[in-house]
Amino acid sequence: MTTQQDIPGRTVYIVSDGTGITAEALARSVLSQFNLTFSRIHIPFVDTLDKVRQAKDQIQAEREKTGQLPIVFSTLVIPELVTELRKADALHLDVIQTFVEPLRAELGISPKEEIGLSHQNMESLEYKKRIEAINFTLEHDDGQSNRNLEDADVILVGVSRSGKTPTSLYLAMQYGLKVANYPLIPEDFERGHMPKALQPYKNKLFGLTIQPERLAEVRNERRPNSRYAALDNCRYEISEAEGMMNLENIRYLSSTSKSIEEIATAILSNLRSY
Amino acid sequence: MTTQQDIPGRTVYIVSDGTGITAEALARSVLSQFNLTFSRIHIPFVDTLDKVRQAKDQIQAEREKTGQLPIVFSTLVIPELVTELRKADALHLDVIQTFVEPLRAELGISPKEEIGLSHQNMESLEYKKRIEAINFTLEHDDGQSNRNLEDADVILVGVSRSGKTPTSLYLAMQYGLKVANYPLIPEDFERGHMPKALQPYKNKLFGLTIQPERLAEVRNERRPNSRYAALDNCRYEISEAEGMMNLENIRYLSSTSKSIEEIATAILSNLRSY
C-alpha cells in the first residue's frame, strides 16, 4: 500500500527499443496530471534480450530497495522483450502493445513486431526532405537571404524577439517545412509596407506578435536598458507591425504565453485551412 | 466486419487538447506495426465542448460515409470532453486516460484533469533555458564563434556534412542543451590536431563520422562533381578525422543510417555515462 509519505521518491523508468522520445513525451503528459515529483530514468536502445534483462534487473533492484512499485513506461515492440521486462515487479504501462492489440482486432491483420519502424533512416525521402528543410531554414533565418524564396513553405514575419527563429526551426525539424523568417524593423515601419522581396509571396506570409510588456522583458535580458528594449519602443514597434499586418491582410498570432510547439501547430492548422 | 479490400481507406484521427504532437508520434509508432497505409487527420487544440462536438461530428460522418470504424487516437484530459468524443462510433484509443487510471490506483491520489499541464509556457524556466540553448547553438554553428565555449554542454566535431548541424539543433530544441559544432577541415588534418580553441574542452567533445560512400553521395547533392564530393577525398577526410579522434581519445559514432533522434539520444546516453 502506498501512503502520501513514500510518494515523492517514486521512480519512473522509460524503457524503449529506440530513442524513447515518444515514450518520454507521453510519460511527461500523463505524469503531469499528478501533483507529485517523480524522478525519471531513461533507458533507450533496449533492443536485445541481454539489454532488457539489465533493465529488468535495475527496476527489480529499485523495487526491493524502496519497497514501492517502480512505474515503467515502455515502448518495446518484440513480444519476447516485453515478456522479459514484465518479470520486474512494477507498474507496467506498455505504450505500444496497449494500442496494437485493439488495432489488430479491428483491422484483422497481424502486427509486424519489428523494431524501429517508426524511425526515418538517412536513406528515406522524408529524412532528406527534413534535412533540406533545416538547411533552407538556417540559410533564411532573420532575413539573411532572399534567394529561392519561391521554395519556402512559410515565411514568418514579426518584430525582433517575437519568436520567429525557434518557431521556424521547429517547423523545419518536426514537419520538414522550408521556413524563411524576416524581422520587421523600424525602416519597414517608416516605409509603411512589408519588405519588397516578400511582396510576391503574400500567401506564404504568417506574422508573429507579442505583448509589449513581455517583449520588453525578453529584450532586456539581451540588451539591458537599451532603447531597443524600452517599453515605449516595444509598444511602438508592435503597434506598427500589427497595423501593417492588418493593412496587408497577413494572418498573425500572438506568441505570448505559447510554447514553440503551440505556435508551430497553430500556424500549421491555419495554413492548411487557408 | 473489415476485409482486406476496404482497409487502405482507413482514416486515423488524432484529436488533442494541445498540439497533438505526442499523440501523433505515438500513432505513427503504433500504426507502423501494420503493413497498411492510413490517411491521418490532425485535429489539435480541441479544448472546449463546442470543438469536441465538431470533431465528433466529423468522425461520425466518416463512419457513415465509409461504413468502417475510423481510428481515433486522442489526448484529452477533461473527462467531459472524453465522454463527448466517445459518442462517435469509432475505435477509440485514448492515450492519456488509459495510463492515468492505473496510475491513480497505484498512487492513491486523483489526477488534476487540467489541460496543457505538459506544456512549457514562455514564463517557465525550462522554456527560457531551451530558447537560450537554441540561440547559443545557432551562434556556435559550424565553428562560427569561439565565444563562451565554456558554457557549451556539448561540442560536436566531424567532417563537413557528417550531420553536426541538425543534431546540434535537435539537442538544443529537445533537451535544452547548448551545443557548439566545429567542422574538421583539411587544415586541421595537416596540423594533425584538433582546433586550438577546443583543447580546453576535451571532455565536452563528441565526434560524428560517416561512411565515405554515403558522405560522397550527400556532398554530391550539394556540389556535384567537385573535389569536395569526390569519393577518394571523402575517404581521406574521414580516415584523417577518425585517426585524430582516436589519437585524442574523443568519443565518436557513425551517423550513417541513423536518424537525427537516434544520433542525439546516443550522444546523450554516452555523455551521461561518462
Side-chain angles (χ1 to χ4, degrees):
Chain A
M1 227 206 76
T2 49
T3 67
Q4 279 296 111
Q5 248 177 330
D6 57 17
I7 284 169
R10 200 63 76 110
T11 305
V12 175
Y13 289 86
I14 293 159
V15 181
S16 172
D17 52 30
T19 62
I21 289 167
T22 306
E24 185 152 17
L26 178 65
R28 197 184 299 149
S29 281
V30 172
L31 295 172
S32 72
Q33 288 299 313
F34 295 94
N35 217 346
L36 296 171
T37 43
F38 299 92
S39 57
R40 288 204 298 262
I41 296 179
H42 195 198
I43 315 182
F45 305 120
V46 176
D47 52 6
T48 62
L49 255 181
D50 208 47
K51 288 185 195 161
V52 83
R53 275 193 198 115
Q54 278 177 41
K56 179 205 68 179
D57 291 345
Q58 188 180 345
I59 295 165
Q60 187 63 37
E62 169 90 20
R63 165 70 173 119
E64 280 153 24
K65 204 182 84 194
T66 63
Q68 309 188 106
L69 286 191
I71 295 160
V72 180
F73 282 87
S74 63
T75 47
L76 298 178
V77 161
I78 296 179
E80 293 77 52
L81 301 187
V82 176
T83 308
E84 185 63 27
L85 187 68
R86 284 193 161 267
K87 291 183 186 163
D89 188 23
L91 179 67
H92 288 278
L93 303 171
D94 190 331
V95 176
I96 301 288
Q97 303 303 328
T98 302
F99 301 113
V100 164
E101 283 310 312
L103 272 169
R104 178 212 297 263
E106 169 60 24
L107 298 173
I109 61 169
S110 296
K112 298 189 232 176
E113 302 179 347
E114 281 167 30
I115 282 176
L117 297 165
S118 65
H119 292 305
Q120 300 168 4
N121 72 35
M122 278 182 91
E123 315 297 324
S124 77
L125 271 179
E126 209 176 334
Y127 185 87
K128 279 186 191 159
K129 192 183 158 218
R130 210 168 148 204
I131 298 288
E132 267 173 36
I134 294 170
N135 289 332
F136 182 97
T137 302
L138 284 173
E139 281 159 20
H140 293 79
D141 183 38
D142 204 30
Q144 273 177 69
S145 166
N146 294 336
R147 286 198 329 139
N148 305 327
L149 274 185
E150 63 279 12
D151 295 339
D153 295 302
V154 191
I155 303 172
L156 295 181
V157 294
V159 302
S160 164
R161 298 277 121 186
S162 54
K164 298 181 301 301
T165 294
T167 304
S168 301
L169 286 170
Y170 190 83
L171 285 167
M173 208 157 247
Q174 185 79 19
Y175 298 104
L177 296 179
K178 292 180 176 164
V179 187
N181 77 72
Y182 280 76
L184 296 179
I185 54 176
E187 284 80 343
D188 298 310
F189 308 140
E190 280 156 31
R191 266 199 311 265
H193 57 73
M194 286 285 150
K196 269 243 155 57
L198 304 183
Q199 300 288 352
Y201 307 111
K202 273 214 171 159
N203 59 336
K204 300 178 183 183
L205 290 184
F206 201 100
L208 289 184
T209 190
I210 179 171
Q211 269 176 10
E213 292 72 18
R214 176 68 193 145
L215 181 63
E217 212 179 301
V218 175
R219 288 184 170 185
N220 257 311
E221 280 168 23
R222 199 148 173 113
R223 291 200 225 150
N225 306 315
S226 59
R227 174 83 198 117
Y228 168 77
L231 182 55
D232 65 329
N233 180 55
C234 292
R235 283 208 179 105
Y236 162 75
E237 288 192 23
I238 286 168
S239 119
E240 290 287 322
E242 291 186 357
M244 192 182 282
M245 293 190 284
N246 287 331
L247 196 69
E248 306 206 21
N249 251 321
I250 293 166
R251 298 152 292 175
Y252 63 92
L253 60 81
S254 170
S255 67
T256 319
S257 80
K258 283 201 181 64
S259 69
I260 303 173
E261 287 85 350
E262 287 169 325
I263 301 168
T265 311
I267 291 172
L268 268 187
S269 318
N270 206 298
L271 288 173
R272 282 175 184 162
S273 64
Y274 201 56
Chain B
M1 231 207 70
T2 50
T3 66
Q4 278 297 110
Q5 247 177 330
D6 59 14
I7 283 168
R10 200 65 76 109
T11 305
V12 176
Y13 289 87
I14 294 160
V15 182
S16 173
D17 54 29
T19 62
I21 289 166
T22 306
E24 185 152 17
L26 179 65
R28 198 184 300 149
S29 280
V30 171
L31 295 173
S32 74
Q33 287 299 312
F34 294 94
N35 217 345
L36 296 171
T37 44
F38 300 91
S39 57
R40 290 205 297 262
I41 296 178
H42 196 197
I43 316 182
F45 304 122
V46 176
D47 52 6
T48 62
L49 255 183
D50 208 44
K51 288 185 195 161
V52 83
R53 272 191 202 119
Q54 277 176 40
K56 180 205 69 178
D57 290 344
Q58 188 179 345
I59 295 166
Q60 186 64 38
E62 169 90 22
R63 166 71 174 118
E64 282 154 23
K65 202 183 84 194
T66 63
Q68 310 187 105
L69 285 191
I71 295 161
V72 181
F73 283 87
S74 64
T75 47
L76 298 177
V77 161
I78 296 179
E80 293 77 55
L81 301 188
V82 177
T83 308
E84 185 63 25
L85 188 68
R86 283 190 162 269
K87 291 184 187 162
D89 187 23
L91 178 68
H92 288 277
L93 303 172
D94 189 332
V95 177
I96 301 289
Q97 303 302 327
T98 301
F99 301 113
V100 163
E101 283 310 312
L103 273 170
R104 177 212 297 263
E106 168 60 24
L107 298 171
I109 62 170
S110 295
K112 296 188 229 173
E113 302 177 347
E114 282 168 28
I115 283 177
L117 296 165
S118 65
H119 293 303
Q120 299 166 7
N121 72 34
M122 279 184 91
E123 316 297 324
S124 78
L125 271 181
E126 209 177 333
Y127 185 85
K128 280 185 191 160
K129 194 183 155 220
R130 210 167 148 205
I131 297 289
E132 268 172 36
I134 293 170
N135 289 333
F136 182 96
T137 302
L138 284 173
E139 282 160 17
H140 291 79
D141 183 38
D142 203 32
Q144 274 177 70
S145 166
N146 295 334
R147 285 195 334 136
N148 305 326
L149 274 186
E150 63 279 11
D151 295 340
D153 296 301
V154 191
I155 303 173
L156 294 182
V157 293
V159 301
S160 164
R161 298 277 121 184
S162 54
K164 300 183 300 300
T165 295
T167 305
S168 301
L169 286 169
Y170 189 83
L171 285 166
M173 208 155 247
Q174 185 78 18
Y175 298 104
L177 296 179
K178 292 179 177 164
V179 186
N181 76 72
Y182 279 77
L184 296 179
I185 54 176
E187 284 81 342
D188 297 310
F189 306 141
E190 281 157 30
R191 265 198 313 265
H193 57 73
M194 286 283 150
K196 269 242 154 58
L198 305 183
Q199 300 288 349
Y201 307 110
K202 274 213 170 162
N203 60 336
K204 299 178 184 182
L205 290 185
F206 201 98
L208 289 184
T209 190
I210 180 171
Q211 270 175 10
E213 291 72 18
R214 176 70 192 145
L215 182 62
E217 210 180 302
V218 175
R219 287 184 171 184
N220 257 312
E221 280 167 24
R222 199 147 172 113
R223 289 199 227 151
N225 306 315
S226 60
R227 175 84 199 117
Y228 167 78
L231 181 56
D232 66 329
N233 181 57
C234 291
R235 283 210 178 104
Y236 162 76
E237 287 193 25
I238 285 168
S239 124
E240 289 289 321
E242 291 186 356
M244 192 183 279
M245 294 191 283
N246 287 331
L247 195 72
E248 304 207 24
N249 250 323
I250 293 165
R251 299 152 291 175
Y252 63 93
L253 60 81
S254 170
S255 65
T256 318
S257 80
K258 283 199 180 66
S259 69
I260 303 173
E261 287 84 350
E262 287 168 324
I263 301 170
T265 312
I267 291 173
L268 268 186
S269 317
N270 206 298
L271 288 172
R272 281 173 186 163
S273 65
Y274 201 57

